[in-house]
Amino acid sequence: MASSLLILNLIFSSFLAPISAVAGLANYLHKGSSLSAKHASDALQSTDGTFSFGFYNLSSTAFTLSIWFTNSADKTIAWSANQDRPVHRDGSKVMLNKDGSMVLTDYDGTVVWQINSSAEAVHAELMDSGNLVIKDQGRSILWQSFDHPTNTLLPMQPVTATAKLVSTDLSHPTSYYTLRFDDRYVLSLAYDGPDIFNLYWPNPDQSSWTNYRISYNRSRSGALDKLGKFMASDNTTFYASDWGLEIKRRLTLDYDGNLRLYSLNESDGSWYNSWMAFSQPCEIHGLCGWNGICAYTPRIGCSCPPGYVVSDPSDWSRGCKPVFNLTCSNDGQKMSFVRIPQTDFWGFDLNYVMSTSLHSCRAMCLASCSCVAFVYKVYPNGCFLKSDLFNGKTVPGYLGAAYIKVPQSYLSRSRAHASELSNRHVCNASKSQTFNYATQSNKEMGTMWYYYYCFLAAFFLVELCFIAFGWWFMAKTHSARSAVWAAEEGYRVVTDHFRRFTYKELRRATRNFKYELGRGRYGSVYKGILDDNRIVAIKKLKDVKQGEAEFQTEVSVIGSIYHMNLVRVMGVCSEGSHRLLVYEYVENGSLAMFLFGSKGLLQWQQRYKIAVGVAKGLAYLHHECMDWIIHCDVKPENILLDQDFEPKISDFGFAKLLQRNQTDPNMSKIRGTRGYIAPEWVSSVPVTEKVDVYSYGVVLLELVMGLRVSELPANASADEGAALRQLVWTVTEKIKTGDQPWIDGVVDPRLNGNFVLSEVLLVLEIAVLCLEKVRNQRPNMNHVLQKFLSYE
Ligand SMILES: *[C@@H]1O[C@H](CO)[C@@H](O)[C@H](O)[C@H]1NC(C)=O
Ligand SMILES: *[C@@H]1O[C@H](CO)[C@@H](O)[C@H](O)[C@H]1NC(C)=O
Ligand SMILES: *[C@@H]1O[C@H](CO)[C@@H](O)[C@H](O)[C@H]1NC(C)=O
Ligand SMILES: *[C@@H]1O[C@H](CO)[C@@H](O)[C@H](O)[C@H]1NC(C)=O
Ligand SMILES: *[C@@H]1O[C@H](CO)[C@@H](O)[C@H](O)[C@H]1NC(C)=O
Ligand SMILES: *[C@@H]1O[C@H](CO)[C@@H](O)[C@H](O)[C@H]1NC(C)=O
Ligand SMILES: *[C@@H]1O[C@H](CO)[C@@H](O)[C@H](O)[C@H]1NC(C)=O
């Protein structure tokens, strides 16, 4: 009998439990009643089931009073009363008192959070919108959670003058980002750290005007509507990528300072991103803390400049600290600078000087005690002395570099431990790629200094490729060796990059000059295989009058220039009358063979990539190398394509190489190739880098039209180049008048209309600028590059 009662009891309770659980999920809480943390069923649920309100378990014993998405897989929290102070499971409760106050107490009765009310409440209700409201007798709202957002805004929940978002969440209690209206009433994202305050969205370098914001609208309010459009009184407007559908969304200020709009996938409860403020997260301030540098590797990560170590490896936002003491120069401490290419630090400018040389910028920083580094921008030219380093970022394509001040004594010490400088850390503390920040000491000033920097910049760029190559190479030859060893070998290969070869070696590599790849004005090119199995192209020069030593010095400078879009010189041979250069082998041969030969058809996207790549290579030659190298013979024959059709410019540095000791003043006239040479070459003015810009313009036209513009048929009576001038004039007119059919017609017919008109227009526009007859009116290559980049 007793046992059957027990069984009955069991059956009953197993039926009753779910029933009571369902019954517990009302959407309101009457005055005088409470919810306790102990029973999971003690929760409110909105009538449509979207949101729940109650105790949310962080662990089996710690709870927060929260509103969460019932149907999201991880029960995402939309609002929380006490995320910084969780309560215990046993004995904690939240109670709606008769006087209208709502009080959250911990197990021992401590009040953790409370709402103070001015009137008597009737009940608290969880609305379908996710808003928890406390209403009085007359059904008016005494308090609502929508007025007190945490890190998330729900649709229809306003951000106002007083309601701001703060990025902290349960797992990231120290995060300093906020979304709020600033003092000009512009909705902004700010880094609001313990010792620094920075606005970083919208773009702080632009006026609110250029950011399309309206300042000083006193309404100060913004909200996401049900269809996924966000609007604010300052004209902040954005749309969810899935705009228009009634999807459950949330706008969350994540702990990494990025504002993201998420949409719920109802089928599996996951969230997907439907908008975010930053697609380039290194623009967010404070990510890597003091002295830290944010970079894409390509995963976003933080690193410390040379001479600095991470303060707290588990939290990169705490930045890096120097391992040396930067004292003033009175004590005789000699200072050096370490260059970090393509890197900028935002803010903290002691001084800003426009149009100055790297040299004087450096001298200014040396002279100032409080200058810890400087940023030298090539374009637009400027020198920024920094008193502190914050918001550091390495951005590919940034036309400038940061130079960190470090004591020379430190540098010489650390050279012994190169790895200390080369370990690149990443936010999540997993060690990833390594690369060297090249260093530069104080003594080696003068001309070599420029070359040196040039080399260092490039060194940084290609080193990764080389390490990869080293790995591959080692893996191939010694597949059994450990990865660490392979990496070390990679370094060895890197440092061993430029070599002198003997003539015998090269003759062997080319099987006695058997496979000729091509023949140019300077000599023939042969394919060769070095002893270490690397495939190379070997150029046998003719008519070089320089002496051996002089030639080698000159070439080793060319050999030290590395850029993705420049063909690398790997070595040189200069013996007796033999002058040979060893180049990397570029798989796909020259652009000319594709454009005018029968090697295959280049699609528009490939052509566009080539246009941009060549601009990058030339900009590097002209500007990063301090105006040192003018190519003088830019043409499709000298643009090689690798297996991914990334262009690489070859034969740079030749003009200089062959010009040395030139007694013939007409030399400049015979360099360059007919059809590509700028008009000023015919006159006797000195050649500047603008001649390359002109030739580049011709190449652009050829990329678009797919034919040799330089060989356009001209009237018998007209002078050379008249046809090209006529073409440029027509293109200019047609772009101006927007004659699309004409433009369509001028594009290479082999493309069958498969091109992007806006890109074609851009390329043509740049081409006609480059083909300006007056050279001062031509843009320089940095301007050209800038045009491409800003279009992207
Ligand atoms: C929270 O409770 C649920 C069930 O109520 C359980 O599955 C989950 O593991 C708990 N979470 C933690 C962190 O204890
Ligand atoms: C209510 O009042 C108490 C004491 O005056 C204060 O500490 C608390 O922050 C107030 N609560 C709210 C939600 O305003
Ligand atoms: C408001 O923003 C839109 C685009 O977001 C822009 O086109 C418009 O010019 C802006 N209005 C003002 C007054 O800035
Ligand atoms: C300010 O913003 C509100 C709300 O968006 C808008 O209705 C109002 O026209 C704006 N006022 C001005 C002066 O732009
Ligand atoms: C939602 O999730 C399902 C299952 O994982 C997936 O097949 C579907 O593509 C997702 N929908 C969206 C819009 O992401
Ligand atoms: C820097 O100076 C502090 C105090 O003057 C000293 O304790 C510390 O050892 C110095 N650090 C180095 C690397 O010289
Ligand atoms: C760290 O990086 C690894 C490698 O990409 C990744 O799989 C992992 O999810 C990352 N961890 C965190 C916490 O971001």
Side-chain angles (χ1 to χ4, degrees), residues 168-216:
T168 45
D169 60 25
L170 298 167
S171 38
H172 303 90
T174 53
S175 180
Y176 301 114
Y177 298 101
T178 63
L179 174 73
R180 44 109 151 255
F181 285 94
D182 71 2
D183 53 0
R184 291 166 306 138
Y185 304 173
V186 171
L187 187 62
S188 308
L189 287 172
Y191 174 83
D192 193 357
D195 45 7
I196 184 171
F197 178 87
N198 265 188
L199 296 173
Y200 63 92
W201 182 81
N203 188 344
D205 293 331
Q206 292 179 359
S207 64
S208 29
W209 191 282
T210 26
N211 285 327
Y212 299 114
R213 302 299 183 85
I214 299 166
S215 37
Y216 300 110

Side-chain angles (χ1 to χ4, degrees), residues 265 267-268 272:
N265 183 343
S267 66
D268 63 356
Y272 58 92

